[in-house]
Amino acid sequence: MSDTVIEPAVENPPVVFTQDKIGWTAWLQPLAEVELTDRHYEALVDKARAKSAYFALLVRDPDILEARTKTDNDIFYNTKDGLPRAERELAATAASRLNGCILCASVHSRFASQYSKREADVQKLLDEGVTADLGDRWNAIVAASVALSATPPAFSADHAKRLRDVGLSDEEISDVVHGAAFFNWANRLMLSIGEPTPAS
């Protein structure tokens, strides 16, 4: 692996949380598509991800990326049972908003809006932050996600009770925990290896 470092040189980086599509650039050199082997493509899971600087950087360790991607896919796409997709995306958006990850918040807020049809409420979360009033059920999901993302984590039995009180089953509470915890980790990774860029 080359230790070539790309100097951050983003002009006018995004500084406002948005549901618009934005870009991202790595501070370390991603693998070029011509360098990818069959093992790399297997680890990417979706071959189109080879065009993403983020995944092209993470695929330098294919075993870890493959495990990471399968975990991500199971949390967000395996929605036959448990929490609706919109609220899994809400948990990811809340974690990303708290952590200051503009790129992750933009991606997951778009999904939350798409699946919930509550674009104005999702935008309110982005604009006002994690204390925005989004109604009892969404407030409980955001509060739990924020508590899980805090340093040190502050999630407690009170958060679980609040989620139950607004109608979530134990399985749905587990989905909130997984969505927020995964993106708390993913935000910190993304923020440490690159930065958002304006839409290309």
Side-chain angles (χ1 to χ4, degrees):
M1 173 176 162
S2 168
D3 290 327
T4 304
V5 175
I6 300 172
E7 291 298 327
V10 175
E11 291 186 26
N12 303 314
V15 294
V16 175
F17 288 94
T18 178
Q19 294 187 58
D20 295 339
K21 290 184 179 179
I22 59 175
W24 185 84
T25 188
W27 293 332
L28 300 171
Q29 188 64 51
L31 285 179
E33 284 190 69
V34 296
E35 298 178 84
L36 298 178
T37 65
D38 288 345
R39 176 65 188 112
H40 290 125
Y41 279 112
E42 181 183 11
L44 285 164
V45 180
D46 176 356
K47 286 190 174 184
R49 289 182 170 183
K51 299 190 182 303
S52 159
Y54 180 65
F55 290 108
L57 177 56
L58 297 185
V59 82
R60 286 186 174 279
D61 191 325
D63 293 338
I64 290 177
L65 177 61
E66 184 175 15
R68 173 242 179 259
T69 301
K70 288 180 176 178
T71 301
D72 182 9
N73 288 351
D74 194 45
I75 291 169
F76 290 95
Y77 301 149
N78 186 6
T79 56
K80 181 181 176 184
D81 299 306
L83 200 66
R85 173 78 184 273
E87 293 174 337
R88 297 175 194 221
E89 299 293 349
L90 177 67
T93 302
S96 300
R97 179 63 175 84
L98 178 75
N99 288 327
C101 191
I102 291 175
L103 185 280
C104 290
S106 75
V107 171
H108 294 280
S109 65
R110 284 197 305 277
F111 283 130
S113 288
Q114 175 188 340
Y115 288 102
S116 70
K117 310 303 182 194
R118 292 176 59 179
E119 185 174 355
D121 284 329
V122 174
Q123 190 61 45
K124 187 176 183 181
L125 171 61
L126 296 179
D127 292 342
E128 297 181 15
V130 296
T131 59
D133 185 1
L134 309 175
D136 290 346
R137 183 178 171 103
W138 274 27
N139 288 348
I141 291 170
V142 169
S145 301
V146 166
L148 281 160
S149 302
T151 304
F155 185 83
S156 70
D158 290 341
H159 293 94
K161 181 181 184 304
R162 185 175 176 187
L163 290 167
R164 284 193 192 94
D165 288 347
V166 295
L168 272 69
S169 67
D170 286 353
E171 186 175 41
E172 289 172 322
I173 292 170
S174 176
D175 289 333
V176 170
V177 169
H178 290 137
F182 184 88
F183 264 86
N184 184 43
W185 169 81
N187 296 156
R188 291 162 195 255
L189 174 62
M190 179 164 271
L191 289 166
S192 69
I193 60 176
E195 62 187 315
T197 63
S200 54

